[in-house]
Amino acid sequence: MAAAAANVFSPLSRALVQQGRLVQADANALHAEAKKNNVTFIEQLVTSKKLSSREIAQFAAGTFGVPLLDLSSVDADLLPTGALDTKLVASKRVIPLFKRGNRLFVGMSDPTSEQLLSELKFATGSIVEPVVVEEEKLAGLIKRFGETSAKALDQMIGDETSLGDIDLGSGDETQIESGAGTPEEIDDAPVVKYVQKVLIDAINGGASDIHFEPYEKFYRIRYRTDGILADVAQPPLAIKEKIASRIKVVSKLDISEKRVPQDGRMKLKLSPTRAIDFRVSTLPTLFGEKICMRILDPSSATLGIEALGYEPEQKEALLHAIGRPYGMVLVTGPTGSGKTVSLYTCLNILNKPGINISTAEDPAEINLPGINQVNVNDKAGLTFAAALKSFLRQDPDIIMVGEIRDLDTGEIAIKAAQTGHMVLSTLHTNDAPSTLTRLMNMGVAPFNIATSVILITAQRLARRLCSCKRPVDLPKEVLLRAGFKEEELDGTWQPYGAVGCDICKNTGYKGRAGLYEVMPISEEMQRIIMKNGTSIDIADQARREGVSDLRRSGLRKVRSGITSLEEVESVTNE
């Protein structure tokens, strides 16, 4: 039913009395009945049969100079379903007719309600233009409008996806059953199912991130798959608030706070043995809250080092380094290059009953049983440096620091590495040699770097060619310019290129492989560091010692037919 009745002195009721279409006593009685029945004055007037819907509409249009429209000619399927929330349509008894620029034309039986027009303007951000329609026809169209919106959402959800055995809950141990939550959310069951379908499709499609993005005239959802963002859906603009609220509820975020960014977690329990965590970030934008969700699959940390794509000698060097009783191993690369998976793979190898492992992360992305994981909280004073100091009093064998961001964290991490602890951490640098100079630029003494850092690995992720790949003929000059040596072009191997099929969604690529530069710190490199040598000096020494840089690692993947030369050049072109 509609909201509470209009005021007795509303312009429409007053005009009806003044022009003799209704006596004051009847008007007062109708308002009292409308309030009692929780309907509008016009609904009660039509029910009383003192005036017909058509007579009221013609009177309102003529008296107040508002256009009159016959809704018999309006197709509900062609109405702008994204212009107004379906609940607002039903509760306020208005219908969006069409939109022209920033003007939204709405059908309503009482065009004199300034409060309602202001509310609609606030809800839509548009200039709202009223159009008079007949109350009885409006009621029928509102019902069809709701059915059309639900049908559109059901079509997006699809009939083939079974959501019955899936739990969607917060990132902690408390699980929330699918569709559970506030009474309002239970009413929005289609939205709840739609959000779950978006998450499940992302997991099944191998996506790493999901973006929910509101704009002025449309709302879109994008997946990042194999490092590339692509549109996957454009749900009705009207449900953007419901989607945001649903995600925020299960992520334990404040649904009433839309002015500042928020961070949270949620868990999708696919089966009794498999659950996927999501790191959730909200961001206020001009047209609503943008939500980005990072998919954190714990199974990625248990794949084993063989699945990451290290070359045999690189794998041997890394395993030897992390197997030492003390020292520092650094993993470098840009955001999204797989550093976290590499670190967790190492931790999973080291995670044994006789080993005490502590990690400080911002935030902890993958939960591993047997490892003491700490989320840093700068506002509360729990910084990386503070967590590290506490770890040293917790009798650790292995410490993992999410990132070395400042001198304080760097010095404590190096002190830990020098005093009998294995320390794993990350830095944002382009290659392995520049990591050492980055530490020196932070203010860490060269002597401390040389005596603590035992191995640095830089990495990138290159897309793997799909099984639909085809051989390509590349000119010798192109291969030489890319970095191949003359003796390598002996005709014993064949480069491949991307084609595209249904399996890879016509991209030509499916999955990703790691490109690595694994650089053990030799005695000669230590001497270069002690003499304040540059990253160029260290890179030259690394080449003399046979360390393959990222481009060489990528070219080996090209020779093996794992990826294309074009892809390697794109991810290693510094």
Side-chain angles (χ1 to χ4, degrees):
M1 297 301 288
N7 189 283
V8 172
F9 302 103
S10 68
L12 180 59
S13 62
R14 188 167 59 244
L16 287 168
V17 171
Q18 288 174 347
Q19 296 191 28
R21 305 298 297 272
L22 200 64
V23 298
Q24 186 66 60
D26 288 341
N28 292 343
L30 287 169
H31 275 294
E33 284 295 314
K35 186 174 183 180
K36 177 182 177 182
N37 298 329
N38 195 32
V39 298
T40 65
F41 168 74
I42 292 180
E43 284 181 278
Q44 192 64 44
L45 180 57
V46 172
T47 302
S48 71
K49 298 186 179 179
K50 293 185 180 296
L51 289 172
S52 68
S53 292
R54 184 170 184 80
E55 289 174 326
I56 297 170
Q58 289 175 337
F59 174 82
T63 303
F64 299 101
V66 180
L68 175 65
L69 177 67
D70 184 3
L71 292 181
S72 301
S73 60
V74 175
D75 186 351
D77 292 334
L78 300 180
L79 293 175
T81 55
L84 277 180
D85 186 279
T86 52
K87 285 189 175 180
L88 191 65
V89 168
S91 64
K92 302 302 182 183
R93 305 203 62 80
V94 294
I95 195 80
L97 298 172
F98 59 92
K99 194 170 184 181
R100 183 176 298 158
N102 196 37
R103 292 181 179 273
L104 176 63
F105 293 81
V106 298
M108 52 201 308
S109 56
D110 182 0
T112 67
S113 177
E114 293 296 332
Q115 180 180 350
L116 176 55
L117 291 173
S118 297
E119 190 173 338
L120 294 175
K121 180 180 179 181
F122 178 78
T124 63
S126 303
I127 298 171
V128 178
E129 300 282 1
V131 176
V132 177
V133 296
E134 297 174 34
E135 173 60 36
E136 290 180 335
K137 293 180 180 179
L138 175 63
L141 191 60
I142 287 174
K143 181 179 180 182
R144 295 201 301 276
F145 178 83
E147 291 172 350
T148 299
S149 298
K151 181 180 177 183
L153 199 57
D154 286 339
Q155 287 175 346
M156 286 188 291
I157 295 172
D159 297 327
E160 297 178 1
T161 305
S162 175
L163 302 173
D165 297 329
I166 294 167
D167 289 342
L168 180 61
S170 61
D172 56 23
E173 293 180 358
T174 303
Q175 290 294 320
I176 301 177
E177 293 293 329
S178 302
T182 63
E184 180 181 354
E185 284 196 285
I186 295 172
D187 292 340
D188 294 333
V191 173
V192 174
K193 290 181 180 179
Y194 182 61
V195 170
Q196 290 184 195
K197 181 182 185 299
V198 168
L199 303 186
I200 293 166
D201 286 350
I203 294 168
N204 292 338
S208 61
D209 300 87
I210 310 171
H211 294 251
F212 298 84
E213 301 172 319
Y215 296 95
E216 182 179 11
K217 296 183 179 179
F218 67 96
Y219 185 72
R220 73 176 177 184
I221 299 173
R222 295 193 290 174
Y223 294 163
R224 186 180 293 279
T225 307
D226 298 336
I228 306 297
L229 271 173
D231 288 15
V232 294
Q234 285 198 10
L237 190 62
I239 68 170
K240 66 178 182 180
E241 298 291 345
K242 294 179 180 178
I243 289 177
S245 295
R246 173 60 181 168
I247 293 172
K248 289 167 75 174
V249 163
V250 294
S251 303
K252 295 294 182 70
L253 301 179
D254 184 354
I255 62 172
S256 65
E257 181 56 80
K258 303 177 182 180
R259 301 165 298 174
V260 297
Q262 297 186 67
D263 294 300
R265 291 177 73 97
M266 69 165 64
K267 183 187 292 290
L268 187 67
K269 190 173 182 182
L270 300 175
S271 70
T273 58
R274 189 184 181 204
I276 306 292
D277 286 321
F278 295 82
R279 190 178 70 196
V280 181
S281 172
T282 71
L283 179 70
T285 67
L286 287 177
F287 304 105
E289 287 184 285
K290 178 186 185 298
I291 298 176
C292 180
M293 303 176 69
R294 169 66 57 87
I295 300 174
L296 310 171
D297 188 353
S299 62
S300 61
T302 58
L303 292 174
I305 197 167
E306 291 79 10
L308 298 184
Y310 285 95
E311 301 296 338
E313 69 278 7
Q314 293 176 334
K315 181 179 71 173
E316 183 181 349
L318 179 60
L319 291 176
H320 175 72
I322 65 174
R324 292 173 62 172
Y326 59 88
M328 179 182 287
V329 173
L330 296 172
V331 180
T332 73
T335 301
S337 60
K339 300 189 299 295
T340 300
V341 171
S342 293
L343 281 176
Y344 274 101
T345 300
C346 293
L347 289 178
N348 199 50
I349 293 171
L350 298 169
N351 188 15
K352 297 175 181 177
I355 302 293
N356 181 19
I357 303 176
S358 296
T359 74
E361 304 165 74
D362 185 21
E365 295 193 356
I366 299 173
N367 298 327
L368 282 181
I371 294 179
N372 307 293
Q373 297 172 276
V374 174
N375 279 335
V376 300
N377 187 338
D378 290 336
K379 292 182 179 178
L382 182 57
T383 61
F384 280 120
L388 270 173
K389 288 178 181 177
S390 179
F391 286 169
L392 294 177
R393 296 189 290 270
Q394 289 283 323
D395 185 30
D397 296 301
I398 298 166
I399 296 171
M400 194 270 272
V401 188
E403 182 184 350
I404 296 178
R405 297 176 178 172
D406 50 48
L407 176 59
D408 197 14
T409 306
E411 286 185 332
I412 299 171
I414 282 177
K415 178 184 176 183
Q418 291 173 333
T419 55
H421 307 90
M422 170 55 62
V423 179
L424 308 178
S425 189
T426 71
L427 274 173
H428 284 87
T429 55
N430 291 329
D431 55 26
S434 61
T435 304
L436 297 168
T437 54
R438 170 72 184 280
L439 288 171
M440 286 189 274
N441 291 338
M442 269 187 195
V444 180
F447 172 81
N448 286 332
I449 298 172
T451 56
S452 59
V453 180
I454 58 176
L455 181 137
I456 302 171
T457 172
Q459 64 183 71
R460 299 290 188 277
L461 291 177
R463 291 181 294 170
R464 288 178 178 269
L465 285 167
C466 179
S467 57
C468 63
K469 64 184 179 181
R470 61 176 174 80
V472 293
D473 292 324
L474 298 176
K476 183 178 180 180
E477 296 76 16
V478 172
L479 296 173
L480 291 172
R481 191 164 57 246
F484 283 105
K485 298 175 182 177
E486 184 80 37
E487 60 270 21
E488 291 176 321
L489 307 180
D490 54 8
T492 59
W493 57 277
Q494 172 68 56
Y496 286 85
V499 178
C501 64
D502 292 339
I503 296 175
C504 61
K505 298 181 181 177
N506 293 314
T507 63
Y509 297 92
K510 185 70 173 175
R512 289 193 286 180
L515 309 182
Y516 301 96
E517 178 183 18
V518 179
M519 187 178 79
I521 306 303
S522 63
E523 291 183 2
E524 186 57 38
M525 288 184 189
Q526 290 176 338
R527 280 191 282 270
I528 294 173
I529 296 168
M530 297 282 285
K531 295 176 182 177
N532 291 315
T534 66
S535 59
I536 296 175
D537 297 330
I538 297 169
D540 289 340
Q541 179 61 29
R543 277 194 294 271
R544 285 192 290 271
E545 294 179 9
V547 174
S548 296
D549 61 15
L550 290 166
R551 174 58 66 88
R552 291 298 307 169
S553 179
L555 296 180
R556 292 174 74 169
K557 296 289 192 297
V558 173
R559 289 190 62 175
S560 302
I562 294 172
T563 189
S564 65
L565 182 60
E566 179 185 20
E567 179 69 9
V568 167
E569 288 184 326
S570 69
V571 299
T572 61
N573 187 21
E574 304 296 349

